[in-house]
Amino acid sequence: MANATMVTEFLLLGSPDGWDLSFLYFTVFPMTYLGTLLGNLLIVTVTTADKHLHTPMYFFLRNLSILDMCFISVTVPNACVNSLTGNRAISVAGCATQIFLVIFCACVEYLFLSIMAWDRYVAICQPLQYPLIMNPQICVRMTLASLLSGLIYAGVHTGNTFRLSFCQSNVVHQFFCDVPSLLRLSCSDTTSNMILLLVSAVAVGGGSFGIIIMSYFRIFSAVLKFPTRAPGKAFSTCTPHILVFSLFLSSGSGVYLRSSATSDTLQDMVLSAFYTMVPPFLNPLIYSLRNQQVKDAVGRVMGTQLFSGK
């Protein structure tokens, strides 16, 4: 068959030619992974245990933390194990699963961040209608809609990638399986795949970015009209959100939308590490550990645990 996959397994690239990235695999990657798990697990525990944080904002934050732990777990542990054991082989099914999960987590992350920005806009600019607009049923429906959208989005891209034939090299120039790397290995026409990547990136990434910018612009406008709402605090809270999302969007777009003719392996690996590792690592710091409500909740939860342990 013309579209039969002739490659039975892929080999993930340990390090680009001339580079020794052992330092990354044995120090930076594990430490970032551990920090991400601890930070997000703390948020999940506190927002679940403390009833004062049973609000829409922290409901979405808890979902984001769970997603971030899954997101970084799809790529980093496998890369570290491969580097430690020297076994770089991954089956076609394993590669397809990794691609599906990475795309799913990235898509849902975009949607969750957009919902959280819109939630803050409603809370600050329409406080009287907030309980009605962001009621528990709506929050659950938006979460389920985001997850379903992620499943469809990931399924389309994964299926569209693995309908191609891979009869050239089986070396994936990346520390995990991703769509751009596989498209470079295909001996089929990938024009439709690149068009789909471009259109979907503009629709999901650009749409999410537009919602976030519009929400924060309206928040800034409202806060500046009422000095009692502490504009400095609003700026210090919202600006890091925009910066991390911009980093997430730009690094992901740099990997997925760049022409294969101008591709650089080391640069691709660095950009991929940024969009798969940095946002999950920074989100706990930006969204909650700098938040006084969360700090107070940590104190209450820890105090309860210590008291019950006596």
Side-chain angles (χ1 to χ4, degrees):
M1 292 177 64
N3 65 342
T5 301
M6 300 174 65
V7 173
T8 58
E9 67 176 12
F10 294 101
L11 295 178
L12 299 176
L13 185 66
S15 299
D17 294 337
W19 291 85
D20 184 5
L21 301 184
S22 300
F23 176 74
L24 289 178
Y25 290 123
F26 294 116
T27 56
V28 176
F29 278 27
M31 294 301 294
T32 302
Y33 181 64
L34 182 61
T36 299
L37 290 186
L38 292 177
N40 285 288
L41 187 60
L42 176 63
I43 292 173
V44 172
T45 302
V46 170
T47 56
T48 301
D50 193 288
K51 63 180 181 180
H52 297 90
L53 300 185
H54 291 178
T55 63
M57 173 184 174
Y58 294 105
F59 169 77
F60 291 120
L61 182 59
R62 180 165 60 251
N63 291 333
L64 180 67
S65 294
I66 295 173
L67 179 70
D68 281 338
M69 289 190 288
C70 296
F71 194 5
I72 198 170
S73 296
V74 173
T75 58
V76 173
N78 186 65
C80 294
V81 171
N82 288 349
S83 181
L84 182 64
T85 61
N87 180 17
R88 300 184 291 123
I90 183 171
S91 66
V92 173
C95 189
T97 300
Q98 196 170 50
I99 285 179
F100 178 87
L101 292 176
V102 167
I103 296 177
F104 168 76
C105 290
C107 177
V108 178
E109 179 110 357
Y110 283 132
L111 298 177
F112 277 178
L113 293 175
S114 303
I115 292 173
M116 291 172 68
W118 185 69
D119 170 78
R120 290 299 83 205
Y121 156 70
V122 176
I124 294 174
C125 301
Q126 303 180 44
L128 297 180
Q129 301 180 38
Y130 182 75
L132 178 63
I133 297 176
M134 301 301 295
N135 63 70
Q137 292 78 16
I138 293 296
C139 293
V140 172
R141 288 174 184 173
M142 286 194 292
T143 300
L144 293 177
S146 299
L147 296 175
L148 179 60
S149 299
L151 289 174
I152 296 173
Y153 186 86
V156 169
H157 281 291
T158 304
N160 199 39
T161 300
F162 281 89
R163 70 175 177 80
L164 303 172
S165 59
F166 303 100
C167 51
Q168 301 184 37
S169 169
N170 68 336
V171 178
V172 178
H173 291 268
Q174 190 57 269
F175 65 92
F176 65 94
C177 282
D178 67 347
V179 173
S181 297
L182 290 190
L183 293 184
R184 298 183 191 111
L185 302 181
S186 176
C187 49
S188 304
D189 182 9
T190 61
T191 303
S192 62
N193 298 73
M194 295 304 299
I195 293 175
L196 179 63
L197 281 175
L198 177 61
V199 172
S200 60
V202 171
V204 177
S208 298
F209 186 72
I211 292 174
I212 290 175
I213 291 298
M214 181 178 63
S215 299
Y216 286 143
F217 175 78
R218 292 183 176 180
I219 289 173
F220 292 153
S221 300
V223 169
L224 290 174
K225 293 178 182 178
F226 303 97
T228 55
R229 293 191 178 185
K233 182 178 180 181
F235 277 97
S236 66
T237 301
C238 297
T239 302
H241 300 180
I242 298 175
L243 292 177
V244 171
F245 183 84
S246 300
L247 174 65
F248 183 34
L249 181 61
S250 59
S251 57
S253 300
V255 173
Y256 278 80
L257 301 183
R258 194 162 45 151
S259 170
S260 60
T262 60
S263 176
D264 177 80
T265 301
L266 181 62
Q267 190 175 31
D268 282 349
M269 292 182 70
V270 172
L271 289 174
S272 296
F274 266 98
Y275 89 84
T276 57
M277 296 171 58
V278 174
F281 177 75
L282 291 181
N283 279 338
L285 300 176
I286 291 176
Y287 282 94
S288 53
L289 298 185
R290 296 172 67 249
N291 187 308
Q292 189 59 45
Q293 281 186 293
V294 174
K295 292 179 181 178
D296 294 341
V298 170
R300 287 192 295 268
V301 173
M302 295 300 294
T304 301
Q305 294 296 325
L306 291 173
F307 181 78
S308 62
K310 291 184 177 180

